[in-house]
Amino acid sequence: MSKPTDLQHDLERSLPAIASISTSFSQSQGFSPYCYFSPEKRKAISDVRRTFCLFVTFDLLFISLLWIIELNTKDGIQKNLKNEIIEYNFKTSFFDIFVLAFFRFFVLLLAYAIVKLRHWWVIAVTTLVSSAFLIVKVILSELLTKGAFGYLLPIVSFVIAWLETWFLDFKVLTQEAEEERWYLAAQAAASRGPLLYPRALSEGQFYSPPESFAGSDNESDEEGAGRKALTAQEKEYVRQGKDAMEVVDQILAQEENWKFEKNNDFGDVVYTFEIPFHGKTFILKAFLQCSAETVYQEVILQPEKMILWNRTVAACQILQRVEDNTIVSYDVAAGAAGGVVSPRDFVNVRRIERRRDRYISSGMSTTHNLKPPLSKYVRGENGPGGFIVLKCPSNPRVCTFIWILNTDLKGRLPRYLIHQSLAATMFEFAFHLRQRVGELSGKP
């Protein structure tokens, strides 16, 4: 869809500068990048690297176990050890396959557990050596005449060597690179001064329309006049909402690191971003020809009415209004990918804030006694995410809408199918939202 140049200019300006996360670092309840990556708290070896080292150890132990079983035949283990080690014969001995497993174990642990290399060349060498040796041995040896173990040991050794390569390249190195980039970005943000609006502006600046939420962060912890004290569970909901808000703020602060995935004819764009401990996050960014207040009312303040115009949502119910800024909701997402992805239900805690330049609804999955898991739905789990509506300082009739989605749909679904369905669902949501705001503004 084509847009006039001046309108596009106004739309582009509707995304104001993101406040530095370092401004909230100075707040007692603001976000600190060190809450995830404090230098004194960073582990000497990451969890995923430790898992890799355990898998390498399993490689050696498993091959050793299979070799011991093969040795313990009718001739006895001592005689077979003498035949395979002292009287070693390349064509008939399994001892070299055990030595090959020990070679992988020693080299990989030395490189990735002790030296802590962050490159793939070492495992490329071990896998190349293992693959070449096993192929030559199978071709030239007489192992295949020795029964099941003649097939089993070479095949297991070959497969495990390549699994180690895949795990290191696609899991260990990529995840550690993302965590390192996140940490460095947080360090850099903490060293910068505040930009436009410090985090403190979000406290006490909420307005109070009939359905809106008013108050400040501190009100949930104090028993004001006519306000009941929060229970331990309600305080936990408030804490979860604040945690989700902090992660959303950090994602917004790193827009330059979002990875482009897809766009559509309306100019909507879906990005992805890897969040440590939460995984791949999808981000929809759309420019809308309506006021930010309109989207705020329709999407953030009245989520239970979203089913009237949004076909991607099958049900939405407010389970509990915890305090002025925090609610617990029950949501059912409609099926996707032509029915391949069945409907999922979620129980989410949401925190709503109104700041000078934007409206934010952040949230994440939680539990509530009114909505235990149901047999007819697969209970999904949402990581930190939410809706952000950014005002345009030069044109109040346009705004920028951002949807941050980090979700685990559970069930046994292929990852590529989940990713395709999520991007399509986000575009569909933007389409229905445009239709809705068009109806409200009297447009055909």
Side-chain angles (χ1 to χ4, degrees):
M1 178 181 292
S2 61
K3 299 179 178 67
T5 304
D6 56 343
L7 176 59
Q8 181 66 32
H9 177 69
D10 287 334
L11 291 173
E12 292 290 346
R13 293 185 57 187
S14 67
L15 181 62
I18 301 297
S20 170
I21 57 175
S22 64
T23 60
S24 58
F25 174 72
S26 62
Q27 305 296 324
S28 60
Q29 297 192 9
F31 173 68
S32 169
Y34 299 95
C35 69
Y36 295 115
F37 300 106
S38 178
E40 62 271 17
K41 293 183 180 179
R42 294 183 77 189
K43 297 179 181 179
I45 185 170
S46 67
D47 292 339
V48 67
R49 184 179 288 255
R50 185 172 64 250
T51 302
F52 171 77
C53 294
L54 288 175
F55 187 68
V56 171
T57 305
F58 166 79
D59 175 13
L60 175 64
L61 295 178
F62 189 51
I63 296 297
S64 301
L65 177 63
L66 292 178
W67 184 47
I68 292 172
I69 294 175
E70 184 272 335
L71 290 172
N72 194 20
T73 59
K74 61 180 180 179
D75 294 331
I77 191 170
Q78 291 183 346
K79 183 177 180 179
N80 286 327
L81 277 174
K82 179 181 178 181
N83 292 335
E84 294 203 8
I85 298 178
I86 299 177
E87 301 174 2
Y88 170 77
N89 186 324
F90 177 78
K91 293 185 177 181
T92 60
S93 177
F94 289 103
F95 175 62
D96 47 15
I97 296 181
F98 165 77
V99 173
L100 188 65
F102 183 81
F103 162 74
R104 289 196 301 270
F105 170 80
F106 177 79
V107 174
L108 293 179
L109 288 191
L110 176 65
Y112 297 111
I114 299 176
V115 182
K116 298 183 178 66
L117 291 180
R118 294 195 174 190
H119 200 277
W120 48 263
W121 70 266
V122 174
I123 199 169
V125 171
T126 61
T127 303
L128 178 62
V129 171
S130 298
S131 300
F133 179 85
L134 290 170
I135 292 173
V136 171
K137 188 171 183 67
V138 168
I139 294 174
L140 301 180
S141 71
E142 300 173 357
L143 294 180
L144 302 184
T145 64
K146 301 187 66 173
F149 282 98
Y151 296 88
L152 186 62
L153 272 170
I155 292 174
V156 169
S157 183
F158 185 88
V159 170
I160 290 181
W162 280 97
L163 285 177
E164 290 169 347
T165 304
W166 172 84
F167 191 81
L168 180 80
D169 195 25
F170 289 91
K171 295 294 183 181
V172 179
L173 299 182
T174 55
Q175 183 170 324
E176 287 186 345
E178 285 295 330
E179 291 179 0
E180 182 67 16
R181 182 181 56 77
W182 186 280
Y183 173 74
L184 293 176
Q187 290 277 59
S191 66
R192 294 196 300 263
L195 297 178
L196 293 181
Y197 307 117
R199 172 66 181 260
L201 290 177
S202 67
E203 302 180 359
Q205 288 191 351
F206 311 107
Y207 81 112
S208 302
E211 303 109 66
S212 119
F213 301 85
S216 65
D217 291 345
N218 297 328
E219 289 180 353
S220 61
D221 300 324
E222 299 176 358
E223 186 177 0
R227 190 187 300 268
K228 68 180 182 67
L230 298 180
T231 65
Q233 181 60 64
E234 289 172 336
K235 290 181 180 179
E236 177 64 15
Y237 288 143
V238 172
R239 184 195 65 78
Q240 290 176 339
K242 291 179 179 179
D243 289 346
M245 185 67 70
E246 290 169 352
V247 176
V248 167
D249 281 337
Q250 191 174 32
I251 293 173
L252 292 174
Q254 299 195 63
E255 183 179 358
E256 68 276 6
N257 295 320
W258 297 356
K259 179 183 176 182
F260 172 85
E261 291 289 335
K262 295 182 180 180
N263 60 0
N264 61 13
D265 294 336
F266 294 93
D268 306 329
V269 184
V270 170
Y271 303 90
T272 55
F273 186 69
E274 291 287 340
I275 305 178
F277 313 110
H278 297 290
K280 194 169 189 177
T281 297
F282 286 78
I283 305 169
L284 169 71
K285 182 177 177 183
F287 299 111
L288 302 176
Q289 300 182 45
C290 66
S291 66
E293 286 72 17
T294 300
V295 182
Y296 175 53
Q297 292 286 337
E298 292 297 317
V299 177
I300 295 179
L301 289 186
Q302 304 179 97
E304 67 275 18
K305 296 182 180 180
M306 199 180 296
I307 60 173
L308 300 176
W309 54 269
N310 183 10
R311 295 182 182 178
T312 65
V313 178
C316 182
Q317 176 187 357
I318 304 299
L319 299 179
Q320 183 178 355
R321 298 187 183 273
V322 180
E323 44 95 57
D324 290 337
N325 303 94
T326 307
I327 62 174
V328 180
S329 67
Y330 174 72
D331 307 280
V332 179
V340 177
V341 181
S342 61
R344 260 64 174 167
D345 68 341
F346 303 85
V347 176
N348 299 313
V349 59
R350 305 188 188 196
R351 178 171 180 83
I352 299 174
E353 293 187 5
R354 179 183 186 273
R355 303 181 188 174
R356 182 179 298 174
D357 60 339
R358 72 199 67 180
Y359 305 101
I360 303 182
S361 171
S362 66
M364 62 192 302
S365 282
T366 188
T367 58
H368 199 281
N369 55 11
L370 293 181
K371 283 295 179 181
L374 303 174
S375 58
K376 65 178 180 178
Y377 294 124
V378 177
R379 176 60 54 89
E381 183 175 346
N382 286 327
F387 301 115
I388 302 94
V389 187
L390 300 166
K391 303 176 183 179
C392 175
S394 62
N395 187 350
R397 295 186 298 275
V398 297
C399 65
T400 300
F401 175 76
I402 298 176
W403 178 13
I404 299 175
L405 177 62
N406 179 284
T407 188
D408 182 357
L409 297 180
K410 303 299 184 179
R412 298 180 179 179
L413 295 172
R415 186 176 297 273
Y416 79 92
L417 180 62
I418 294 176
H419 291 172
Q420 288 181 354
S421 67
L422 289 179
T425 298
M426 299 182 95
F427 284 140
E428 185 179 358
F429 178 89
F431 175 78
H432 293 310
L433 180 57
R434 278 195 176 85
Q435 282 189 325
R436 177 61 175 173
V437 298
E439 294 170 359
L440 294 176
S441 60
K443 295 181 180 180

